[in-house]
Amino acid sequence: MNASRLATTALQYAFLAAAAFLSIFPFIWMVISSTNKSIDIISGRTGIGDAFGTNVTNFFAQVDVPLVFWNSTKVAVLATLLTIVVSSLAGYGFEMFRSKARDRIYALVLLTLMVPFAALMIPLFMMMAKSGLINTHIAIMLPTIASAFIIFYFRQSTKAFQTELRDAAKVDGLKEWQIFLYIYVPVMRSTYAAAFVIVFMTNWNNYLWPLIVLQSNETKTITLVVSSLASAYYPDYGVVMIGTILATLPTLLVFFGMQRQFVQGMLGSVK
């Protein structure tokens, strides 16, 4: 029995190690490729090269890095904060306030998850064009504020919120907005942290909608810039890899910096 259990454990660790390697291999290959010249990357070289400094210099020479990162940070942070505020209020309201139409409205909200974004691009573009918001960052943020998935996530998490706290606060004379702000938000902070990670990564990596809306180099985000470098007539893949690494670092920092809260929030959402 001990030998069988040992063999099973060894197979489990071997499987997990293989899965972990497959997960991080693209990032490892990206870092190694950033040290090679474009011709070496095309030929499939897997060793570490000596062109890292040249690739970094060329990238900073071709891209206005501070402006691009400012655009991406502004869009990602503002859109994330607005999405969390609106979605948490909606999730709280759907769970705490009861009415005959509540479940029907909530069902309609969830049905929007079934609509592909490709079907919404043309109507959204026409709305932004008529509003004069084309080539602005507001046009990127507006369609993402009311996220059906985040509303669903907050409502499921609110089910674990103790209603006794709300009842006690009402007895003490607190209004609904005070209960939400001073009791609900602190209690559900891990849920907010998990939602922040999810929404921030989605907004930072957003590509298709900004590609349609943003038309000038002064407003483009890092994902659009890296894509334009990769789609050049003679792309320098070493430079592209440097841009990809820089575009990946903020999401890695946010995720690993809030990893514990993210796990707690995800576990709390299914209680």
Side-chain angles (χ1 to χ4, degrees):
M1 291 295 294
N2 292 334
S4 176
R5 184 178 300 175
L6 182 62
T8 301
T9 303
L11 288 174
Q12 290 175 348
Y13 277 101
F15 174 78
L16 292 175
F21 175 77
L22 291 175
S23 299
I24 65 174
F25 175 77
F27 186 78
I28 296 174
W29 180 82
M30 177 178 65
V31 173
I32 293 176
S33 297
S34 67
T35 65
N36 292 309
K37 298 179 181 179
S38 183
I39 187 64
D40 295 329
I41 298 174
I42 295 174
S43 63
R45 180 179 176 180
T46 57
I48 298 176
D50 58 356
F52 181 78
T54 303
N55 292 333
V56 172
T57 302
N58 292 338
F59 179 79
F60 277 82
Q62 298 177 33
V63 177
D64 189 349
V65 177
L67 176 62
V68 168
F69 268 87
W70 165 247
N71 292 337
S72 294
T73 303
K74 180 174 67 173
V75 170
V77 172
L78 290 179
T80 299
L81 294 178
L82 290 173
T83 301
I84 289 177
V85 170
V86 173
S87 299
S88 63
L89 285 169
Y92 178 85
F94 276 123
E95 183 61 27
M96 293 299 178
F97 300 104
R98 302 183 181 277
S99 67
K100 295 181 179 180
R102 182 191 66 170
D103 293 334
R104 295 178 182 178
I105 297 174
Y106 185 66
L108 290 175
V109 172
L110 294 183
L111 282 176
T112 61
L113 292 172
M114 302 175 63
V115 181
F117 183 73
L120 302 176
M121 289 189 300
I122 295 178
L124 283 175
F125 184 84
M126 294 176 63
M127 290 173 59
M128 298 304 166
K130 291 181 179 180
S131 302
L133 297 177
I134 296 298
N135 200 36
T136 65
H137 293 149
I138 299 177
I140 302 177
M141 294 184 284
L142 283 179
T144 65
I145 291 176
S147 172
F149 172 74
I150 302 300
I151 292 174
F152 166 80
Y153 171 69
F154 269 103
R155 187 187 181 185
Q156 293 302 112
S157 299
T158 305
K159 293 180 182 295
F161 180 74
Q162 298 179 359
T163 56
E164 292 81 3
L165 295 175
R166 180 168 176 257
D167 296 337
K170 283 188 174 182
V171 172
D172 290 338
L174 269 68
K175 297 181 180 179
E176 198 66 46
W177 68 269
Q178 294 173 319
I179 297 174
F180 177 85
L181 187 61
Y182 298 123
I183 297 178
Y184 177 82
V185 173
V187 170
M188 307 297 291
R189 57 183 179 274
S190 60
T191 301
Y192 277 89
F196 182 88
V197 173
I198 295 171
V199 180
F200 178 84
M201 294 178 69
T202 301
N203 286 314
W204 183 272
N205 295 321
N206 194 7
Y207 170 73
L208 183 57
W209 180 238
L211 178 65
I212 297 172
V213 174
L214 301 181
Q215 300 175 350
S216 64
N217 293 329
E218 291 75 17
T219 58
K220 287 186 176 180
T221 58
I222 186 65
T223 53
L224 298 183
V225 171
V226 173
S227 175
S228 64
L229 292 175
S231 60
Y233 193 75
Y234 290 108
D236 189 336
Y237 291 107
V239 174
V240 172
M241 293 303 166
I242 295 296
T244 307
I245 291 174
L246 293 177
T248 306
L249 287 178
T251 56
L252 290 178
L253 293 175
V254 170
F255 178 78
F256 287 112
M258 305 179 68
Q259 184 178 11
R260 179 178 299 178
Q261 294 84 352
F262 176 79
V263 174
Q264 292 175 352
M266 296 305 294
L267 291 177
S269 66
V270 296
K271 288 183 179 180

